Amino acid sequence: MAQLLRLSVQRRRHHGCADEAIWRLQNSPFLISFAQADRKKHMWTIIPDLHADMDRLECSLSRATGTRCAFLGDFIDAGPDLTAPEDEAVLQKVRGMVEAGEATAIMGNHELNAILYHRQDENGLPLREHSRKNADQHASFLRRFQAASPEALDWTSWFLTLPLWHDLGGARLVHACWSQPHIDLIAERRPDGLLCEEDLPEIAAEATEFGRAVKLLVSGPEVTLPAGSSFRDGRGHCRSEVRLAWWRSGARTYREAALSVPDPADLPDVALSAEQQSVIYPAEEVPVFVGHYKMAGKPGLEAPNAACLDYPSSPCLYHWKGEGRLLPEHLQTV
């Protein structure tokens, strides 16, 4: 297209009317429309975890005018504070938008858990244990769809059409952790990030590098503290494992990288191992958007090239317009 436009200008310049040609080309409805379409390719509204909350979805969509939507997964399984979960309505709306080309979506850990919950291994046992804890986490979906029912299998089969990651061209989407080494490992088998039924027993067992890599992308990194170290979480429980805020590119120690620790001073000021350090997102990389972590407080940007958008008590979204460094003014509460 650009080559044709330059050729037209050159021909008009030969006939002594280059200025007029340039003006007409720059102001032609076709060229203006073409430029607007090109800009729109880099305009996305990024929407995090919905957890069966139709009101949140509708509020988010009302703020997404003029852009396409990108969903970060976890569409199902309402939390305890949602009085009227609408798993099916949320799924129907998101699926319709994706299939119409109005949105893109990736898989969250709740979608992966549901896939495993409703499928059996070769011995007839569920790939995800039907324990009280797991059933409680999946309760709103199970109230609408019986375990392993045709409807449940249909929806969880659709979940398998959602990739584990997506590149928007200048920005990245993943539910919980963008770790390039782990993405590369998965891509050796599944270049498009789409899982297959035959992968599921391996993922459920978490006994291989592939299975563990999948879990890392949808659930994030959690590491064991050095021997003798522990902390108390927000409920007063003593813990020896800690989540890592992998988007903090300058983090080098447990204390600097820890996420959701009430008092980081409880942690040892000891360097992360080389393996643990490998998941830290480099400062020079393009922006990445995640959900998953149930952040507290007011939504904010912890890094210029990474944003966790999952703030259950203050839902938000991000309007990405192609910028290489994230802007606070593009973060919006809903």
Side-chain angles (χ1 to χ4, degrees):
M1 178 57 63
Q3 185 177 2
L4 290 174
L5 294 174
R6 285 196 298 271
L7 182 59
S8 178
V9 171
Q10 290 169 359
R11 287 174 176 170
R12 288 177 176 267
R13 181 178 291 117
H14 178 73
H15 293 286
C17 53
D19 290 343
E20 178 189 357
I22 292 171
W23 185 90
R24 289 181 181 275
L25 287 169
Q26 289 176 339
N27 292 275
S28 69
F30 178 79
L31 183 58
I32 292 172
S33 176
F34 182 81
Q36 289 174 340
D38 187 63
R39 284 196 300 272
K40 193 172 181 180
K41 287 194 303 184
H42 296 287
M43 295 175 63
W44 292 85
T45 296
I46 317 296
I47 300 174
D49 312 41
L50 294 165
H51 288 297
D53 191 336
M54 192 63 187
D55 287 343
R56 188 191 304 183
L57 173 56
E58 290 176 342
C59 287
S60 298
L61 294 179
S62 72
R63 289 160 172 76
T65 55
T67 67
R68 288 175 291 173
C69 293
F71 294 101
L72 295 176
D74 275 11
F75 308 110
I76 61 171
D77 298 343
D81 297 330
L82 187 64
T83 56
E86 297 183 76
D87 294 70
E88 185 175 19
V90 168
L91 288 172
Q92 287 177 338
K93 181 63 177 179
V94 172
R95 184 174 184 173
M97 292 180 67
V98 171
E99 293 179 348
E102 299 169 357
T104 190
I106 58 173
M107 184 186 294
N109 63 306
H110 280 258
E111 283 75 50
L112 180 59
N113 288 344
I115 291 168
L116 301 177
Y117 193 96
H118 295 276
R119 282 162 177 76
Q120 297 178 341
D121 64 17
E122 59 185 9
N123 298 314
L125 298 175
L127 289 173
R128 180 169 171 83
E129 183 185 3
H130 289 191
S131 65
R132 177 63 180 273
K133 177 184 176 183
N134 291 343
D136 286 348
Q137 290 176 348
H138 199 34
S140 65
F141 187 93
L142 290 172
R143 282 196 292 271
R144 178 60 189 86
F145 307 111
Q146 185 178 355
S149 65
E151 285 181 302
L153 291 173
D154 176 68
W155 278 114
T156 53
S157 292
W158 179 69
F159 296 164
L160 283 169
T161 71
L162 304 176
L164 293 168
W165 69 84
H166 187 65
D167 194 323
L168 297 177
R172 295 162 168 172
L173 310 176
V174 71
H175 183 66
C177 180
W178 189 285
S179 170
Q180 197 62 52
H182 293 87
I183 288 174
D184 292 343
L185 189 155
I186 296 169
E188 289 179 5
R189 183 191 304 182
R190 306 295 177 210
D192 52 9
L194 294 171
L195 299 175
C196 295
E197 292 274 356
E198 56 263 34
D199 300 326
L200 299 179
E202 184 178 353
I203 294 168
E206 296 182 34
T208 65
E209 289 187 351
F210 180 90
R212 290 190 290 269
V214 170
K215 183 181 179 184
L216 179 81
L217 267 56
V218 299
S219 298
E222 189 168 340
V223 301
T224 301
L225 294 169
S229 299
S230 64
F231 70 96
R232 293 196 176 275
D233 64 17
R235 297 182 178 180
H237 299 143
C238 186
R239 297 189 176 276
S240 59
E241 295 185 338
V242 66
R243 279 179 163 179
L244 297 184
W246 52 269
W247 52 83
R248 296 175 188 163
S249 60
R252 296 292 180 269
T253 68
Y254 292 95
R255 190 176 294 178
E256 293 170 342
L259 181 66
S260 303
V261 176
D263 185 0
D266 289 341
L267 301 179
D269 196 21
V270 175
L272 298 169
S273 70
E275 181 180 0
Q276 294 164 347
Q277 185 68 37
S278 70
V279 302
I280 301 297
Y281 197 65
E284 65 274 12
E285 290 286 359
V286 301
V288 59
F289 297 96
V290 300
H292 183 65
Y293 290 98
K294 294 182 173 58
M295 305 289 279
K298 181 180 178 181
L301 301 176
E302 280 202 23
N305 67 334
C308 177
L309 301 179
D310 185 27
Y311 285 80
S313 63
S314 185
C316 68
L317 49 75
Y318 188 93
H319 300 287
W320 184 68
K321 301 179 181 180
E323 63 270 18
R325 286 294 177 262
L326 302 180
L327 302 172
E329 57 267 32
H330 289 181
L331 185 66
Q332 182 182 22
T333 55
V334 299

